[in-house]
Each structure stands twice: as C-alpha cells, then as structure tokens.
Amino acid sequence: MPSRLETDPSASSPAALRGMHTLPGPPGLPIFGNMLQAEPMRFHQTAERWSERYGNLFRIKMGNKQVLVVADAEVIGRVLRDRPAPFGRGVRLRQIAAEMGITGLFTANTEVWQRQRPMVMSAFAPNNIRRYFPALVAVTQRLETRWRRAARAGTAIDLQADLMRYTVDVTAGLAFGAAMNTLESDDNVIQQHLNAIFPMVGQRLLAPLPYWRWFKLARDRSLDRHLVEVHRAVAGFIDAARARLRADPERLENPDNLIEAMIAARDAPGSALTDQDVAGNVLTMLLAGEDTTANTLAWLLHLLSDQPAVREQLHAESARVLGPESVATEFALAGALTFAEACTHEAMRLKPVAPFLLLEAYEDAEVAGIRVPRGAMVMLLTRRAATDGRNFAEPLRFHPERWLEDEELSGRSSAPKRASMPFGGGPRLCPGRYLALLEIKMVVSMLFRNFEIDSVATADGSPVEERLPFTMEPVGLRMKLRERAQSVPPPG
Ligand code: HEM
C-alpha cells in the first residue's frame, strides 16, 4: 500500500492516483533530464521560476531520478508531518556526507534517526539553553568588542565571517562544553575548514557521476585536507569531553551537554551507538549550527539596510529591554525582544537559508493524488509557499509587523503564518531553532543598542546575490558601523 498524503478526496482509491509523468514540467535532455538547465549555485531560483510557469505541482528529472516539485504550503506541511516515513533525506546526500565522515542526525535514516533524535532534542531544550545563557552572554560581548574595534578604526566588517565565528563559538560552547574563542583569534580558525565542506557537498550532489570515487581533482584533494583538520578538531572535542567524564564520573548520569550525553549513551552497556555516531554528530552540529544562523543574520541585516524606520524601532526596543547593559544579560530579557524576533521571522520568510527541502521516497508513496514511486525525490519549494500572495498580503514586502498582529483580536487564524517554514516541519523540524532565534536576538539587540549601521552592502555596491553552496547565502556583504554617542549610559 502506498503511504497516503492526498489533499484531494477523489484520490482515495489507488486507481485514481496519477503518475508523475502526467504532470507538466520543463522539457529535459536525454540522460541528464533537467540537470544541466540550472546553475548549481542558483538551483533554487531556477526551480522557483519553473514553479511560476508550471504551477504548485510539477515534475522535473535530475539524471535518472524523477522529482516531484511542490510549492503549495498545505501539501508541503503534510509531506513534512508524515515523516519519518515514507520520506527521508536523499540516499545520495547520505552517501556523500558519509564519505566525508558526516553521519549525524541530519542525514540519518529512519532507524538511526529514531535512536538519536531524543538525545539531540534534549541537548537543545530551552532549559539547557537557559543554563548555557551566561556563556552566550560572554560570546556576545566578544562580538561587541570586535565590532567596537572595527567601528573605531572605520574598517568594514566581513559580515558572514564574523557571524560564523560567533555561531561556531556558541555551538561549541553549548553542545560540546568547549570554551572556543575564534572571535578573538585571527589565526587558522576551524571555520576556514568547515566552510570548505558545504560547497563540495553541493557540487557532488549535482555531479552527473561520482568521479571522486575513481580519481581526485585539485578541489577534492583540497577538501580532503580540510576534512583532516576538521576531524582533528572533532577528536579534540571528544577527548576533552571524555577527560571531563573520567574526572567526574557522576556526569555520566547527568551529562552537561550534548557531547557528554552522546559519550554516556555510547558507553552504556548494550548501546547501539558507535564512536563514529558520536563524531558524526559533533561535526553535524558544527555544520548545522554555523552557516544557517550566520547567514540568517546576514540576510536580516541586509534587508534592514534600506529600512531606517525598522532600524529605529529595533534601537528603541533594545535600549528599553537592555537598559544600561550593552548586551542582554538575563535570559528573560531575550523573551522581551519581540520586535527583533518578528524581524527575524520576516527575514527567514523572504530569505530562508533553506529555500527548498529535498526528500526521497523510501517506499511507494502518494502526494496530492500523485503516485510517488520508491526512489523518486520530492522537492519542497518552501520559499515559494512563504511568498505566495494567498498566504501573506504584499508577500514580497519586508513587513515585520505581520508577525505581531494579534490573531485573536483580528479573528484570523495563524494558518497563513505556518506557510513560512524556515526550520522545516513535522518530526524532523530543526532541533536548533530555539538556540538560533536566541543567538539572533542577542546579536541584533547588542548591535542596535550600541551601534548605528552606516551600510551593509557588497564591496562595489552591486546588488547582493543569492548563492546556494548548500545553505542560501548573501555574497560578499560588508558592514560599516558607527558607535552610538551614548552607547552605554552612565549608571543611575
Ligand atoms: C536560523 C538558523 C537555522 C535554520 C534556518 C535551520 C533550518 C533547518 C532546516 C530547514 C532543517 C530541516 C528540517 C526538516 O527536515 O523538516 C534543519 C534540520 C536540522 N537542524 Fe537546523 N536550522 C538552523 C539552526 C540550527 C542550529 C543552531 C542547529 C544546531 C546547532 C541546527 C541543527 C539541525 C539538525 C541537527 C537538523 C536535523 C534534524 C533531523 O533531521 O531530525 N540547526 N534545520
């Protein structure tokens, strides 16, 4: 029996199911299908243009793989909710990631995922994040110091690079208990090696043949060198955590963070977890927590660059909530930054770092009355759904207030808001979302409390391009800041 995800009641009998070949879609080439028609780094934009032409349900072919493309929010929500089966991450992604030693929760198949998900979820639960909060404050203060120095020197900030230092320092602190400080280091930081991984995953995903298994080009050899450094760092985190557990065996019962919880689970009698599971998840957290949050922040600051009134509101909110402090020093304060959070939701609606999700049918399935055979892919165009005029008025306008409208008073349901799914949905919804939102609010409130933004733009002032090495990033953003006159008011 195919798993069923129909929206159309007439699709209830298997005879009523339509094959994917009956759907419209761009004509393709023999062997390659539509694979060569999209520039890999801009695949999302091509798919979105196809959707303008062929609608909310169409088909493409990537090599010999059939792909059902969905741009309707309700159908996307159903596909996501119906996991862990019949849809999971693509087998090809799993293989490519495994070859690089990335065998964590993100790429896990259903069985492994079921084992690992609760452990990861508890590490990112709000209570754990609350306990980690003082360290988050310290990392935010380091970013403030770095940006103060740049403002005083009048130098332009390489926005993504600085934000990635921030997000890696935070993830390593929360998930691995490691006091990492790349924000205050100008040496060979781990980000340089991490940054080499995603573009190669993206390239290999779209390569017509897995040539690297037979011979290596210069870029593959360079990747191998970066992987050696990254795995060395991962082994360092694990060794340090093992040393802490040896020194204080009680932590095995009450692990302090994700890495300790994973080692405790790995060492428990009869455990099915392996050393590789632990290492793979450490690397997964580093990768999943770095680009996503940093790029979301970079997009948000870019969108704000032509919104002076919104910037003023952000300044007013952070001055009110932070009071005399230059960063939010109490967990509860972050909860009061409601306008900063609304701006974040709006940025993620327009510039989601995952503008689509790509899943594979692990068994015969059905989506909206279409038969999806085992092995076929389903591409969920989440940004198309989030910018659909049926779900949001003036869908392309940056309008954060839409996230603050009182639904009960206005009598409108929140269903349209659910059409924006930047963190995915259903059982595999992003476990890092609380942390990510908190990091973003910490940075935004620190920034608007202490600085005025002179500019957030490319070096030559050309329009900012969207590039998709794996997560969608803005290319080449530089930020210039000025310190606010009364940055930190005198006490009293
Ligand atoms: C703004 C920041 C972030 C965005 C937009 C984001 C987005 C996403 C998306 C779209 C997914 C796929 C969800 C699905 O399949 O339904 C995902 C999964 C995941 N994310 Fe995030 N993420 C962010 C931050 C983080 C952080 C900070 C971490 C951890 C440090 C993290 C860890 C993960 C993991 C482990 C998964 C796999 C979950 C699973 O398959 O069960 N993410 N994220």
Side-chain angles (χ1 to χ4, degrees):
M1 268 296 272
S3 298
R4 313 232 354 276
L5 282 165
E6 76 275 15
T7 47
D8 171 6
S10 70
S12 53
S13 100
L17 295 185
R18 291 164 59 199
M20 278 163 69
H21 65 277
T22 63
L23 291 172
L29 298 169
I31 302 176
F32 296 107
N34 305 100
M35 206 161 185
L36 306 178
Q37 294 165 351
E39 205 190 311
M41 292 280 186
R42 295 196 171 75
F43 196 89
H44 60 298
Q45 290 171 325
T46 306
E48 287 170 351
R49 272 197 301 276
W50 281 332
S51 167
E52 276 167 32
R53 173 142 191 212
Y54 299 105
N56 282 344
L57 205 58
F58 61 99
R59 48 116 199 112
I60 58 174
K61 228 172 148 213
M62 302 294 288
N64 62 357
K65 282 269 178 201
Q66 295 208 68
V67 185
L68 174 69
V69 190
V70 184
D72 178 85
E74 204 186 313
V75 181
I76 291 175
R78 281 169 191 240
V79 173
L80 293 176
R81 279 197 301 278
D82 205 45
R83 291 177 297 172
F87 297 105
R89 313 242 183 257
V91 170
R92 183 152 185 192
L93 170 66
R94 287 227 310 272
Q95 285 167 347
I96 289 169
E99 286 169 353
M100 298 182 187
I102 316 167
T103 48
L105 190 72
F106 187 84
T107 46
N109 68 12
T110 306
E111 197 200 343
V112 175
W113 175 82
Q114 272 162 337
R115 230 173 31 228
Q116 296 185 353
R117 173 89 186 183
M119 196 165 58
V120 172
M121 279 307 286
S122 62
F124 288 96
N127 255 352
N128 247 352
I129 293 179
R130 182 193 297 260
R131 208 150 45 98
Y132 170 71
F133 191 74
L136 180 59
V137 172
V139 182
T140 312
Q141 282 163 335
R142 292 207 295 265
L143 184 63
E144 179 198 342
T145 306
R146 191 176 172 94
W147 283 359
R148 243 180 232 295
R149 220 179 300 131
R152 283 179 194 165
T155 49
I157 292 163
D158 180 343
L159 191 54
Q160 260 176 304
D162 271 18
L163 292 172
M164 285 187 194
R165 284 170 192 263
Y166 179 78
T167 55
V168 168
D169 285 2
V170 170
T171 308
L174 176 76
F176 318 142
M180 213 160 161
N181 187 355
T182 65
L183 271 168
E184 286 177 335
S185 151
D186 278 322
D187 305 337
N188 186 15
V189 288
I190 187 173
Q191 287 87 337
Q192 285 166 351
H193 306 297
L194 289 172
N195 294 347
I197 297 179
F198 273 153
M200 285 303 284
V201 172
Q203 273 189 20
R204 289 184 176 182
L205 268 178
L206 290 171
L209 285 173
Y211 69 86
W212 60 93
R213 292 181 194 150
W214 304 302
F215 60 90
K216 300 218 168 180
L217 303 174
R219 64 184 186 209
D220 303 294
R221 289 194 295 275
S222 161
L223 170 72
D224 287 346
R225 284 192 293 276
H226 288 297
L227 283 172
V228 167
E229 293 299 326
V230 167
H231 286 296
R232 200 194 310 268
V234 166
F237 290 131
I238 296 175
D239 287 348
R242 278 201 182 280
R244 287 197 301 271
L245 290 169
R246 268 197 306 276
D248 180 5
E250 274 194 6
R251 289 171 97 120
L252 283 168
E253 296 300 318
N254 292 306
D256 226 22
N257 48 54
L258 179 64
I259 201 167
E260 291 177 11
M262 286 194 297
I263 293 171
R266 151 78 187 88
D267 292 351
S271 161
L273 278 177
T274 63
D275 283 345
Q276 177 55 44
D277 286 339
V278 177
N281 268 309
V282 171
L283 185 46
T284 294
M285 292 309 145
L286 276 174
L287 288 168
E290 185 199 16
D291 286 40
T292 48
T293 312
N295 287 338
T296 300
L297 260 163
W299 279 122
L300 169 59
L301 297 178
H302 167 62
L303 288 168
L304 290 172
S305 63
D306 61 356
Q307 301 281 340
V310 178
R311 290 204 303 272
E312 251 333 287
Q313 261 177 282
L314 282 169
H315 168 62
E317 180 180 81
S318 42
R320 178 171 50 77
V321 173
L322 271 50
E325 307 292 345
S326 62
V327 305
T329 46
E330 283 169 44
F331 188 67
L333 295 182
L337 295 164
T338 48
F339 189 64
E341 182 157 334
C343 289
T344 309
H345 286 303
E346 188 66 341
M348 291 193 295
R349 187 179 71 78
L350 294 168
K351 298 287 185 186
V353 295
F356 64 78
L357 293 171
L358 192 59
L359 303 177
E360 181 162 337
Y362 290 170
E363 54 194 75
D364 288 348
E366 178 193 349
V367 175
I370 305 296
R371 187 182 306 111
V372 181
R374 177 167 180 260
M377 309 293 293
V378 178
M379 177 181 273
L380 306 171
L381 294 185
T382 43
R383 176 165 60 178
R384 270 292 278 175
T387 50
D388 184 332
R390 288 173 304 173
N391 299 320
F392 293 95
E394 294 184 85
L396 299 181
R397 182 155 86 94
F398 182 83
H399 179 52
E401 284 79 6
R402 69 173 95 235
W403 296 94
L404 297 169
E405 283 163 11
D406 189 324
E407 278 142 17
E408 273 180 36
L409 286 181
S410 68
R412 280 193 295 153
S413 90
S414 63
K417 285 186 186 162
R418 287 201 293 268
S420 182
M421 292 169 262
F423 293 113
R428 292 195 82 152
L429 178 67
C430 173
R433 62 195 183 283
Y434 289 120
L435 174 65
L437 283 174
L438 182 62
E439 285 178 78
I440 292 169
K441 287 193 287 184
M442 291 297 284
V443 172
V444 167
S445 55
M446 176 275 282
L447 174 63
F448 287 95
R449 170 74 186 79
N450 301 292
F451 302 96
E452 277 179 73
I453 296 181
D454 264 351
S455 63
V456 179
T458 55
D460 62 1
S462 56
V464 179
E465 284 175 37
E466 293 179 354
R467 197 171 56 176
L468 192 74
F470 193 71
T471 59
M472 188 176 89
E473 61 181 25
V475 183
L477 279 183
R478 332 231 350 123
M479 178 167 76
K480 280 200 144 185
L481 295 179
R482 245 176 316 127
E483 284 181 289
R484 282 193 182 265
Q486 270 287 303
S487 194
V488 180

